[in-house]
């Protein structure tokens, strides 16, 4: 049970940096464009900074919180709120596909943000929109263009499932306790069902293989897999296999993963 008369002590291990600026919280929730009756999941509600705005929308809201003390306090404040006490990294995201459309939001704990986003965009086929606050540097990676320094495996993967848009930067000063780095809010608008990768496992395998050695030329990394069919694919794409992995677009990763 929560010690109600005592303030919650932030746990660093759970990435607990709580938002203190109501205007910013409102802006983050507005970016999700919630409507009454919509199904929304919030990851890591913490002390309810975003939750209080989400509750007001009349959406069907569920929250996933790993910290029992915070979960107790949330249930006490909003007795009707569905609080799921779980590790979001182990949440069965694909089970949401049996339901209707869903929107997902969260000021994500920094140590697990990239991994959660990797899983959610690929597993939740019924995702209508997501809005996540992440470390600024991760936001740059999620929204990077091919050929740029920030473009990497996370970018190539996520963009095969979703468009991404960098919305705004959030400074450390609006959190308690203050994080060491800037944060930013990113919006995810999933690609239509027909535009999702045919074989996500092969795509993940290729992305990991190529970005593990991102300084090398693609042809060097692929070595024996540079079959005549693969060489022909590079010719037809007008891409030199002597380029580095970050020069392939998300769509090119997908196409190459099916033939290499
Ligand atoms: N939403 C609140 C806010 O904006 O003030 C809290 C955000 S805080 C950065 C991250 C929250 O995620 C904390 O409440 C923390 O307990 C929770 N959390 C951390 N790791 C988690 C995990 N693996 N699964 C679910 N919740 C987690």
């Amino acid at each position: 049970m929560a010690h109600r008369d005592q303030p919650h002590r932030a746990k660093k291990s759970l990435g607990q940096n709580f938002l203190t600026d109501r205007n910013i919280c409102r802006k983050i929730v507005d970016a999700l464009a919630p409507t009454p009756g919509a199904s929304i999941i919030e990851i890591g509600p913490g002390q309810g900074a975003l939750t209080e705005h989400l509750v007001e929308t009349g959406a069907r809201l569920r929250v996933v919180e790993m910290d029992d003390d915070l979960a107790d306090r949330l249930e006490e404040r909003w007795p009707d709120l569905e609080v799921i006490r779980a590790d979001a990294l182990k949440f069965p995201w694909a089970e949401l596909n049996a339901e209707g459309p869903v929107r997902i939001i969260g000021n994500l704990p920094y140590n697990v943000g990239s991994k959660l986003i990797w899983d959610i965009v690929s597993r939740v086929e019924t995702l209508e929109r997501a809005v996540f606050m992440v470390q600024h540097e991760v936001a740059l990676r999620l929204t990077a263009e091919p050929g740029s320094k920030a473009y990497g495996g996370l970018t190539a993967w996520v963009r095969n499932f979703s468009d991404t848009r960098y919305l705004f930067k959030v400074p450390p000063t609006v959190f308690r306790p203050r994080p060491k780095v800037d944060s930013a809010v990113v919006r995810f608008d999933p690609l239509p069902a027909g535009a999702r990768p045919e074989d996500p496992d092969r795509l993940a395998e290729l992305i990991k293989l190529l970005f593990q050695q991102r300084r090398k030329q693609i042809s060097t990394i692929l070595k024996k897999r540079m079959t005549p069919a693969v060489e022909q694919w590079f010719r037809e794409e007008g891409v030199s296999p002597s380029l580095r992995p970050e020069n392939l677009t998300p769509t090119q990763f997908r196409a190459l993963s099916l033939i290499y």
Side-chain angles (χ1 to χ4, degrees):
M1 281 303 275
H3 303 281
R4 291 176 197 84
D5 43 345
Q6 286 172 26
H8 173 79
R9 287 188 64 181
K11 298 184 182 74
K12 215 173 165 186
S13 61
L14 290 179
Q16 292 181 354
N17 300 100
F18 301 110
L19 275 167
T20 56
D21 185 315
R22 292 195 86 229
N23 288 333
I24 289 178
C25 293
R26 159 64 55 204
K27 255 173 90 176
I28 297 171
V29 170
D30 282 350
L32 192 67
T35 48
S39 176
I40 297 181
I41 297 184
E42 185 190 356
I43 300 173
Q47 296 181 312
L50 300 178
T51 321
E52 69 173 307
H53 297 277
L54 289 163
V55 165
E56 284 171 7
T57 64
R60 181 201 165 195
L61 179 62
R62 285 170 279 181
V63 302
V64 181
E65 176 55 66
M66 202 177 159
D67 184 324
D68 271 331
D69 177 45
L70 291 174
D72 286 344
R73 293 169 192 257
L74 290 161
E75 282 175 347
E76 194 175 314
R77 182 165 170 197
W78 292 291
D80 294 333
L81 182 64
E82 205 176 318
V83 180
I84 302 167
R85 295 166 188 251
D87 178 349
L89 286 172
K90 296 185 185 144
F91 191 84
W93 293 109
E95 285 181 13
L96 293 175
N97 293 330
E99 303 178 9
V102 63
R103 294 180 182 229
I104 305 183
I105 189 167
N107 168 13
L108 298 182
Y110 290 155
N111 47 346
V112 297
S114 305
K115 172 82 175 72
L116 268 173
I117 291 170
W118 179 289
D119 288 350
I120 287 170
V121 296
S122 54
R123 293 191 190 158
V124 187
E125 293 172 20
T126 47
L127 187 66
E128 271 188 326
R129 175 173 283 189
V131 173
F132 293 126
M133 179 144 74
V134 291
Q135 267 175 284
H136 184 249
E137 173 256 327
V138 175
L140 293 181
R141 284 202 266 141
L142 288 163
T143 55
E145 290 306 318
S148 66
K149 222 176 117 196
Y151 184 84
L154 181 67
T155 330
W157 175 256
V158 168
R159 295 264 271 287
N160 266 291
F161 298 91
S162 179
D163 286 334
T164 56
R165 179 182 274 251
Y166 181 106
L167 296 183
F168 52 91
K169 198 173 186 172
V170 181
T173 46
V174 299
F175 296 88
R176 294 286 178 282
R178 289 184 189 183
K180 290 199 175 65
V181 293
D182 283 325
S183 306
V185 179
V186 178
R187 192 179 83 200
F188 300 77
D189 292 297
L191 304 182
R196 293 170 66 86
E198 300 83 341
D199 193 335
D201 290 343
R202 292 192 68 172
L203 175 60
E205 195 183 282
L206 177 66
I207 288 175
K208 286 175 186 167
L209 175 71
L210 289 182
F211 279 108
Q212 266 160 17
Q213 311 176 65
R214 64 177 293 156
R215 304 258 162 269
K216 290 192 184 160
Q217 298 181 354
I218 298 168
S219 54
T220 308
I221 305 169
L222 293 182
K223 281 181 269 181
K224 289 187 186 131
R225 299 180 198 224
M226 288 299 290
T227 60
V230 171
E231 280 177 359
Q232 188 186 341
W233 179 84
F234 276 100
R235 272 195 304 277
E236 284 172 6
E237 285 292 317
V239 174
S240 164
S242 63
L243 288 173
R244 310 275 186 273
E246 71 256 27
N247 293 106
L248 294 182
T249 65
T251 317
Q252 286 170 334
F253 270 100
R254 181 194 305 198
L256 183 58
S257 76
L258 297 176
I259 58 161
Y260 83 107

